[in-house]
């Protein structure tokens, strides 16, 4: 059964909920396992490892006495260490009263400060490690473009292509292609015409052929919660007209959307089918979006939510492990920097609070990525894993970052915060978290 059939059989809401739970379960399991395994290595005994909250549906007790369980409410999870006051790991200094020194050492409040600090920090760190591994594997699988621009696969389009799979493109309209990474720079210098002249090496012979513009309006990706997705546009579609006017390049689409300030527009779309292709029209309204820039700033633009693609894919070659590791680390770092920058800009009012997603918005993004395929789904899970790991490091009581602040205080003062102060701060922290959840839900319900 393909994804489309699965969506139809499950229904949109059920499909969204199922994949949201799957994604959340992966992220929570990684996070909580980080706490568990580092705590175990540090000599702290875990009483319960729970995926979900509420009434247990399944339980198993291992040889160390840890109860592993799946609970009825699959929207989170926790590890309850010996001596924790509750599932939120609120410290309970009285838990070790009456225990021997050796017994107390194996509880969270009785463990050395270094052991507690490593155990708490491990959850977010494991989230980052998981994302890093996913990104690194993807780079290893995808490889990198070859040193020469060799045509691999050609996308289905409703016009004459001219070039063939296996061609090495030497020049376009007389402009040499230094290497594949500089192709887009060359394309920006070309006139925006339906046809261009390719100089290619084909079967050892240099030829000049007429063919389609290399960057037509082929939909290679669609953003979640976008006008294009709501209008039913799919990956692989080719946009041939805007409001009845022919367009030949993706640049034309970008300029048209930008210059019309959100006005409704009618797209003529060609879709590849088993019967050879069909054309239809759809009307949509661009939406304002705040886009991150390389320097950490944001740019507000009108978008319909489409990513462009080349007429052809480029041949690839394997990537070395070292290069893939660097790329994986850069992927995690990029998410962290963009997330922090986005939050700072929202706090100062530089960008809209609509950029904040709540549970409904996140569920929609996850289900959309699942519909786009396994790779898209795993990429989204990896992105969310880093984001959730980062969020847990914020210095808010209840979160891991709040516990780390408590431990920093203990390291400086030589004694933990009084129980009364901890209780008050945990209550404040819970109120802050609930406030963020309300803001996110409001964004989901009232922002386009």
């Amino acid at each position: 059964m393909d994804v489309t059939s699965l969506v139809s059989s499950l229904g949109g809401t059920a499909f969204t909920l199922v994949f949201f739970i799957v994604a959340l379960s992966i992220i929570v399991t990684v996070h909580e396992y980080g706490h568990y395994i580092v705590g175990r290595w540090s000599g702290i005994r875990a009483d319960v490892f729970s995926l979900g909250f509420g009434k247990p549906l399944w339980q198993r007790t291992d040889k160390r006495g840890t109860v592993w369980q799946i609970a009825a409410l699959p929207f989170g999870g926790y590890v309850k260490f010996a001596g924790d006051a509750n599932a939120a790991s609120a410290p309970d200094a009285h838990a070790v009263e009456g225990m021997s020194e050796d017994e107390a050492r194996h509880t969270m409040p009785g463990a050395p400060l270094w052991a507690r600090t490593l155990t708490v920090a491990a959850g977010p760190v494991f989230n980052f490690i998981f994302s890093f591994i996913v990104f690194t594997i993807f780079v290893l699988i995808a490889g990198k473009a070859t040193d020469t621009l060799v045509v691999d696969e050609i996308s289905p389009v409703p016009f004459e292509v001219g070039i063939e799979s296996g061609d090495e493109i030497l020049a376009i309209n007389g402009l040499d292609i230094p290497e594949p990474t500089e192709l887009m720079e060359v394309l920006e210098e070309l006139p925006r015409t339906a046809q261009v002249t390719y100089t290619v090496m084909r079967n050892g012979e240099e030829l000049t052929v007429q063919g389609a513009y290399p960057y037509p309006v082929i939909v290679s990706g669609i953003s979640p919660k976008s006008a294009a997705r709501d209008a039913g546009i799919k990956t692989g579609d080719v946009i041939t007209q805007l409001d009845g006017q022919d367009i030949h390049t993706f640049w034309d689409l970008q300029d048209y959307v930008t210059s019309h300030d959100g006005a409704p527009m009618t797209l003529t779309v060609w879709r590849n089918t088993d019967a050879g292709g069909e054309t239809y029209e759809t009307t949509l309204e661009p939406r304002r979006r705040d886009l991150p820039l390389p320097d950490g700033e944001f740019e507000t633009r009108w978008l319909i939510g489409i990513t462009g693609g080349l007429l052809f894919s480029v041949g690839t070659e394997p990537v070395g492990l070292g290069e893939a590791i660097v790329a994986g680390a850069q992927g995690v770092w990029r998410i962290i920097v963009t997330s922090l920058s986005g939050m700072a800009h929202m706090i100062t009012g530089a960008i809209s609070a609509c950029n904040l997603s709540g549970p409904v918005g996140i569920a929609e993004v996850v289900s959309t990525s699942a519909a786009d395929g396994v790779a898209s789904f795993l990429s989204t899970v990896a992105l969310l894993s880093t984001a959730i790991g980062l969020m847990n490091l914020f210095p808010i009581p209840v979160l891991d970052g709040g516990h780390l602040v408590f431990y920093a205080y203990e390291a400086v003062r030589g004694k933990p915060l009084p129980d009364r102060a901890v209780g008050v701060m945990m209550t404040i922290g819970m109120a802050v978290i609930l406030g963020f959840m309300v803001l996110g839900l409001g964004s989901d319900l009232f922002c386009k």
Side-chain angles (χ1 to χ4, degrees):
M1 179 181 289
D2 61 19
V3 173
T4 304
S5 301
L6 181 61
V7 174
S8 299
S9 63
L10 287 176
T13 302
F15 180 83
T16 297
L17 185 60
V18 166
F19 279 97
F20 177 60
I21 291 173
V22 171
L24 187 61
S25 297
I26 293 171
I27 295 168
V28 168
T29 300
V30 168
H31 181 94
E32 298 302 335
Y33 188 77
H35 288 314
Y36 164 78
I37 195 63
V38 173
R40 199 181 89 186
W41 292 339
S42 302
I44 303 173
R45 188 179 73 252
D47 290 338
V48 181
F49 186 111
S50 180
L51 184 58
F53 297 100
K55 182 180 179 180
L57 302 177
W58 172 85
Q59 286 184 322
R60 183 184 70 86
T61 303
D62 66 17
K63 63 183 180 181
R64 295 182 178 84
T66 302
V67 177
W68 297 77
Q69 67 181 34
I70 297 175
L73 300 176
F75 300 106
Y78 63 90
V79 176
K80 185 178 182 299
F81 289 102
D84 282 344
N86 51 43
S89 296
D92 182 3
H94 301 293
V96 299
E97 292 180 357
M99 288 186 180
S100 67
E101 184 177 341
D102 182 64
E103 289 176 325
R105 169 63 182 82
H106 297 293
T107 67
M108 180 63 90
L113 182 59
W114 67 264
R116 285 178 277 145
T117 301
L118 290 178
T119 299
V120 169
V125 169
F126 267 55
N127 282 131
F128 298 150
I129 292 173
F130 170 78
S131 301
F132 162 75
I133 291 172
V134 171
F135 294 148
T136 300
I137 290 174
F138 279 2
V139 172
L140 286 171
I141 293 173
K144 63 179 180 180
T146 56
D147 292 335
T148 55
L149 186 59
V150 177
V151 177
D152 188 12
E153 295 183 6
I154 298 175
S155 300
V157 289
F159 37 75
E160 186 64 33
V161 174
I163 55 177
E164 297 178 1
S165 179
D167 284 351
E168 178 186 343
I169 300 177
L170 305 176
I172 304 175
N173 277 9
L175 296 176
D176 291 337
I177 310 295
E179 56 183 74
T181 56
E182 299 180 24
L183 175 61
M184 297 307 291
E185 297 175 14
V186 174
L187 297 187
E188 289 181 346
E189 299 181 33
L190 297 178
R192 299 178 182 181
T193 55
Q195 295 276 305
V196 295
T197 301
Y198 290 93
T199 303
V200 302
M201 184 66 69
R202 181 181 298 170
N203 299 323
E205 181 182 1
E206 185 173 311
L207 302 174
T208 299
V209 297
Q210 290 294 116
Y213 189 87
Y215 196 35
V217 195
I218 297 175
V219 179
S220 66
I222 306 172
S223 302
K225 299 176 66 176
S226 65
R229 188 167 295 274
D230 290 347
I233 294 175
K234 298 181 178 181
T235 301
D237 285 352
V238 182
I239 300 172
T240 58
Q241 291 185 329
L242 282 173
D243 289 333
Q245 302 178 29
D246 291 342
I247 57 170
H248 306 297
T249 78
F250 195 77
W251 320 113
D252 295 332
L253 173 65
Q254 289 181 319
D255 292 348
Y256 195 89
V257 172
T258 300
S259 64
H260 281 67
D261 294 330
M265 56 186 61
T266 299
L267 281 61
T268 303
V269 182
W270 179 87
R271 177 171 296 167
N272 187 37
T273 65
D274 293 338
E278 61 182 16
T279 300
Y280 69 95
E281 290 188 349
T282 184
T283 299
L284 51 74
E285 294 184 25
R287 298 171 184 174
R288 292 180 68 89
R289 291 289 185 264
D290 298 305
L291 303 178
L293 299 174
D295 61 1
E297 295 298 312
F298 280 76
E299 176 185 30
T300 301
R301 290 171 52 190
W302 289 101
L303 299 173
I304 62 175
I306 287 175
T307 304
L310 289 171
L311 177 64
F312 50 85
S313 61
V314 179
T316 59
E317 60 186 11
V319 173
L321 180 59
E323 191 173 351
I325 287 173
V326 171
Q330 289 174 336
V332 173
W333 180 247
R334 203 159 36 240
I335 295 169
I336 292 173
V337 171
T338 301
S339 299
L340 291 175
S341 178
M343 290 195 66
H345 281 74
M346 278 188 278
I347 291 171
T348 60
I351 62 175
S352 170
C354 286
N355 288 278
L356 181 67
S357 290
V360 176
I362 294 172
E364 289 179 354
V365 170
V366 169
S367 65
T368 297
S369 69
D372 288 341
V374 175
S376 176
F377 176 71
L378 288 177
S379 294
T380 300
V381 172
L383 186 154
L384 290 174
S385 181
T386 294
I388 289 175
L390 176 64
M391 182 190 72
N392 268 278
L393 286 176
F394 290 167
I396 300 173
V398 178
L399 299 180
D400 295 328
H403 290 287
L404 293 175
V405 171
F406 294 158
Y407 296 156
Y409 173 90
E410 183 178 344
V412 172
R413 294 296 303 273
K415 60 181 180 180
L417 274 170
D419 290 349
R420 182 183 178 89
V422 170
V424 171
M425 295 181 72
M426 294 290 276
T427 301
I428 294 172
M430 183 61 71
V432 171
I433 296 299
L434 290 174
F436 274 118
M437 291 178 66
V438 170
L439 283 174
L441 187 59
S443 173
D444 293 339
L445 297 177
F446 302 112
C447 295
K448 273 187 165 184

